[in-house]
Amino acid sequence: MATFGSWPTPITSELVVRAAAGLGGVSLHGDTVTWAEQRPEEGGRTQLVQRTGDGPAVDVLPAGVNARTAAHEYGGGAWWVAENTVWFVDWADQRLYTVTGQAAPEPVTPEPEVPRGDRWADGRVTTDGRWVLVVREHHPAGGGPAQVVNEIVVLDATGQLAPRVLVSGPDFVSDPRISPDGGRLCWLQWSHPDMPWDGTELCVADLRTTDTGPLVTNAAVVAGRPDTGPGGTGAGESVSEPRWADDGSLWFISDRSDWWNIYRWVPGVDGAEAVVTMDAEIGSPQWVFGQSSYAFLSEGRTVFSSARDGLGFLAIRLADGSVVDLDVPYTSFASIQAEGDRIVFVGASAVTEPSVVSVTVDAEGTITASEILRAPRDLGLSTEWFSRPEPISFPTSGGRTAHALFYPPTNPGVTAEPGELPPLLVFIHGGPTSAARPMLQLGTQYWTSRGFAVVDVNYGGSTGYGRAYRNQLRGQWGVVDVDDCEAAARWLGEQGHVDPTKLCIRGGSAGGYTTLAALAFRDTFAAGASHYGVADLEALATETHKFESRYLDGLIGPYPARRDLYVDRSPIHHVDGFNRPLIVLQGLEDEVVPPNQAEMIVDALRTKGVPVAYVAFEGEQHGFRQAANIRRALDSELSFYAQIFGFELPDAEHIAAVPVQNL
């Protein structure tokens, strides 16, 4: 028997990062599959890996090269493949490069006037290989977010001609896609104060080739609409992931029915028709470029992933419009690609980390072959060690129902003390327009195997439950999210699952803000952990990068017109409400939530005499990527809880005690 929190476990911070690789985008061309691996043990860099046929998987980029774009700060779409050539953005200088085989990378774009001032993403190569249509985010010298320009430009694939602008005017553009016959171009566009999940426009234009590259004419909006009114009213249409089918029709995801479902637009026909409709979310919020939730197979079939009740599913729409679920052992899917009868994707489950998976299907959607191209790590652990997520729904404020994934404490080698209940960690995802992912994450099992219960809350405003649920956070950030996290913790306590005196709350980015708000304005939680969280909403509104610089208009209200709300909901202005211990973890190169916000709240708590710990990380941006820092963050937070609740750590000799002031 052992006290909750002190259970011995092989799931240490060292195991969390050992040989870990976050799997990103996947590309399928013929019998060659390319994927991205973020490697914490290599400084968090992203390597590209290729496998052709039955051959071995080989690294594409030289040591030290990092395929990552800083466009929108969150990146995505940093690489693509055309024929035998890989195009990628190098994190160091943000220039676009090509690499073929084992040759050294060659730069395609010129050096910008400002270091890293031109950031590239989401490119596509014309069928003749001569031109590249790509998103460019230009940062002028001395300019702030208002001076950043996002455009679609055409590049000469040989690098001889200067980039030329094709689409300009909207605040943001993405997804330039060329029709199969080369005669049309589509793209997405939106402008402040909308975020892409509020309202986007899908545009189509004629594409004409000249000696200096393609030109666009006759541009028109074929789907989507901006949100309306100051701060938005929820009346927009969010369109994402446009794809040209071989027959010249244009497919896309839209939430016009409340759920993100799939639609099709045919040139010359007014409007668009629904091709996949269900009370489930197909697709996800466009935080990054290059997402792929569906793909075309042969014989008029389409494979797609969806989310319902907090879990993911994979299915095929057959040519007759019927939908067949695929029998695969995964609950989370990303980067769906297809060609012929073959589907490639990143899949994970409650007991397996992400893998790159290939399956072959017949005409009826039955799987005839399956292969794991990039296996998850061999953790050397029985699945008995893994806590499985249990989707739960619970009552919350305003007569609403909120949702979460609950992970009970799980450890096959320990029996709990009789009558004792576990402490609870309330996990809050970032965004806040995002969702908890139903997959094996050792960062969660690190806690559950030690005797903590975890609840990963999909509060009102999260994705996966339709637009109406997503819109619950409009004007209510710092209210609805806090209500729902409180409700989840209290409900679990009332149901006898957790100790109601040991409720803790933790989160990163937007989740860090919710953590700070819960501690400043409520008294439910005994302690909290803010990972690069927002303490001053006003500072965030005035200092953050272009992509999110008007995000708070919809979440709180227009600034500065509703400055009163920004002050009222900023934890930094309500330090008198803090009386529970807090640990703050912050990257010192964070451009999304600058370090001064963390330091303001820590200084205020030090002065007030509230127990507080502060851990800062050199070389980290918004989120921790380096193995040593990921380990230090986990172990510091565990040490913090051990000191607050007074339990012993079974591996204390391997965990440096984090200094807690005012304890």
Side-chain angles (χ1 to χ4, degrees):
M1 294 183 184
T3 300
F4 286 108
S6 67
W7 294 359
T9 174
I11 305 178
T12 62
S13 64
E14 189 276 332
L15 181 63
V16 170
V17 301
R18 183 198 309 160
L23 299 182
V26 174
S27 172
L28 173 61
H29 286 269
D31 63 348
T32 297
V33 180
T34 310
W35 64 86
E37 296 184 5
Q38 180 190 319
R39 299 174 175 175
E41 291 186 327
E42 296 181 20
R45 79 174 180 120
T46 297
Q47 172 63 279
L48 303 181
V49 181
Q50 274 190 341
R51 176 176 166 177
T52 300
D54 296 328
V58 297
D59 288 353
V60 173
L61 306 179
V65 176
N66 185 359
R68 182 183 169 201
T69 178
H72 289 186
E73 297 301 333
Y74 294 103
W79 60 276
W80 52 92
V81 180
E83 298 300 329
N84 297 317
T85 299
V86 175
W87 300 70
F88 73 95
V89 179
D90 187 6
W91 175 252
D93 59 11
Q94 288 297 293
R95 294 174 70 188
L96 187 61
Y97 290 77
T98 59
V99 61
T100 303
Q102 298 301 306
E106 294 285 342
V108 177
T109 55
E111 291 218 26
E113 296 178 1
V114 177
R116 304 178 88 241
D118 285 337
R119 304 171 180 187
W120 309 89
D122 210 12
R124 290 298 182 272
V125 181
T126 56
T127 54
D128 60 6
R130 180 73 173 84
W131 310 100
V132 184
L133 280 59
V134 61
V135 174
R136 178 181 65 186
E137 182 177 280
H138 177 66
H139 293 246
Q147 284 71 51
V148 174
V149 178
N150 295 71
E151 300 167 310
I152 297 174
V153 303
V154 57
L155 299 176
D156 173 12
T158 66
Q160 297 176 2
L161 300 178
R164 179 170 54 77
V165 175
L166 276 183
V167 178
S168 187
D171 288 326
F172 302 99
V173 288
S174 72
D175 295 83
R177 303 291 184 260
I178 305 165
S179 63
D181 63 3
R184 285 189 173 92
L185 174 72
C186 74
W187 68 91
L188 295 175
Q189 63 184 35
W190 67 98
S191 292
H192 288 314
D194 284 347
M195 298 299 285
W197 44 86
D198 296 325
T200 55
E201 294 177 311
L202 173 58
C203 301
V204 175
D206 294 332
L207 194 63
R208 182 167 59 88
T209 301
T210 71
D211 290 340
T212 58
L215 297 173
V216 296
T217 58
N218 303 320
V221 176
V222 301
R225 63 180 178 274
D227 203 32
T228 55
T233 63
E237 178 186 354
S238 171
V239 172
S240 62
E241 298 189 33
R243 306 265 192 281
W244 294 100
D246 288 340
D247 64 3
S249 63
L250 179 59
W251 295 45
F252 58 92
I253 293 173
S254 167
D255 65 357
R256 61 180 62 177
S257 71
D258 185 49
W259 299 92
W260 273 317
N261 282 184
I262 303 178
Y263 294 78
R264 174 173 56 202
W265 173 80
V266 178
V269 177
D270 290 338
E273 63 173 330
V275 289
V276 178
T277 58
M278 55 176 58
D279 288 348
E281 213 84 287
I282 301 171
S284 56
Q286 191 178 317
W287 278 105
V288 297
F289 293 97
Q291 297 179 145
S292 182
S293 304
Y294 71 100
F296 300 123
L297 293 153
S298 60
E299 301 180 20
R301 298 165 297 163
T302 305
V303 59
F304 64 92
S305 61
S306 65
R308 57 183 182 270
D309 298 326
L311 302 177
F313 301 87
L314 192 66
I316 290 180
R317 178 192 185 270
L318 302 178
D320 63 4
S322 61
V323 173
V324 177
D325 287 333
L326 288 180
D327 185 15
V328 289
Y330 304 105
T331 55
S332 179
F333 301 89
S335 197
I336 311 296
Q337 306 291 327
E339 197 171 284
D341 293 329
R342 188 183 188 193
I343 306 166
V344 178
F345 59 90
V346 176
S349 76
V351 295
T352 56
E353 291 186 310
S355 310
V356 178
V357 182
S358 172
V359 299
T360 303
V361 294
D362 63 17
E364 286 73 40
T366 301
I367 295 176
T368 59
S370 179
E371 182 182 11
I372 295 179
L373 304 179
R374 203 290 186 187
R377 294 181 289 170
D378 180 4
L379 299 171
L381 296 174
S382 163
T383 57
E384 292 179 307
W385 283 96
F386 302 142
S387 179
R388 272 75 160 177
E390 303 171 6
I392 62 172
S393 298
F394 49 90
T396 184
S397 61
R400 298 177 299 112
T401 298
H403 311 282
L405 299 175
F406 177 61
Y407 295 82
T410 302
N411 186 314
V414 175
T415 301
E417 295 280 357
E420 187 181 8
L421 291 171
L424 175 70
L425 294 183
V426 176
F427 279 31
I428 316 165
H429 60 70
T433 309
S434 187
R437 300 191 65 187
M439 54 183 275
L440 177 62
Q441 300 175 84
L442 283 197
T444 299
Q445 307 298 327
Y446 174 92
W447 300 104
T448 56
S449 65
R450 293 175 180 273
F452 286 84
V454 168
V455 63
D456 208 345
V457 183
N458 282 322
Y459 49 82
S462 303
T463 52
Y465 303 90
R467 186 179 181 108
Y469 192 79
R470 197 164 73 242
N471 285 344
Q472 288 182 9
L473 206 60
R474 283 185 169 273
Q476 297 298 310
W477 193 30
V479 180
V480 163
D481 50 322
V482 176
D483 285 349
D484 293 357
C485 290
E486 268 196 316
R490 287 178 171 168
W491 185 83
L492 287 167
E494 291 166 359
Q495 298 297 310
H497 296 303
V498 301
D499 186 339
T501 69
K502 295 181 179 179
L503 306 177
C504 306
I505 186 167
R506 69 189 298 273
S509 189
Y513 165 69
T514 302
T515 294
L516 296 174
L519 295 177
F521 304 124
R522 313 290 175 89
D523 59 4
T524 297
F525 297 101
S530 171
H531 297 239
Y532 40 92
V534 179
D536 187 341
L537 294 172
E538 191 173 13
L540 181 65
T542 56
E543 296 176 7
T544 197
H545 56 106
K546 179 185 176 183
F547 179 62
E548 289 186 282
S549 62
R550 299 289 300 279
Y551 188 16
L552 300 191
D553 282 33
L555 293 174
I556 299 172
Y559 184 86
R562 294 311 314 269
R563 181 176 179 270
D564 59 317
L565 291 177
Y566 285 73
V567 173
D568 286 346
R569 296 187 197 168
S570 290
I572 192 64
H573 297 303
H574 300 276
V575 294
D576 57 319
F578 280 93
N579 55 22
R580 303 300 171 89
L582 173 70
I583 182 171
V584 176
L585 305 107
Q586 177 69 39
L588 294 179
E589 296 180 8
D590 193 337
E591 304 241 358
V592 179
V593 178
N596 66 317
Q597 295 215 19
E599 291 155 7
M600 283 191 295
I601 200 74
V602 169
D603 289 343
L605 296 187
R606 283 173 179 157
T607 301
K608 189 169 186 274
V610 175
V612 63
Y614 180 50
V615 186
F617 297 93
E618 296 277 357
E620 292 286 9
Q621 294 89 43
H622 196 62
F624 307 142
R625 290 171 171 262
Q626 300 176 38
N629 294 339
I630 294 170
R631 290 194 62 187
R632 185 180 171 209
L634 276 171
D635 289 343
S636 294
E637 187 175 347
L638 175 63
S639 169
F640 173 76
Y641 295 135
Q643 294 178 63
I644 297 302
F645 293 124
F647 60 79
E648 298 294 327
L649 297 179
D651 45 0
E653 68 275 15
H654 302 298
I655 295 178
V658 66
V660 181
Q661 294 180 286
N662 301 326
L663 185 62

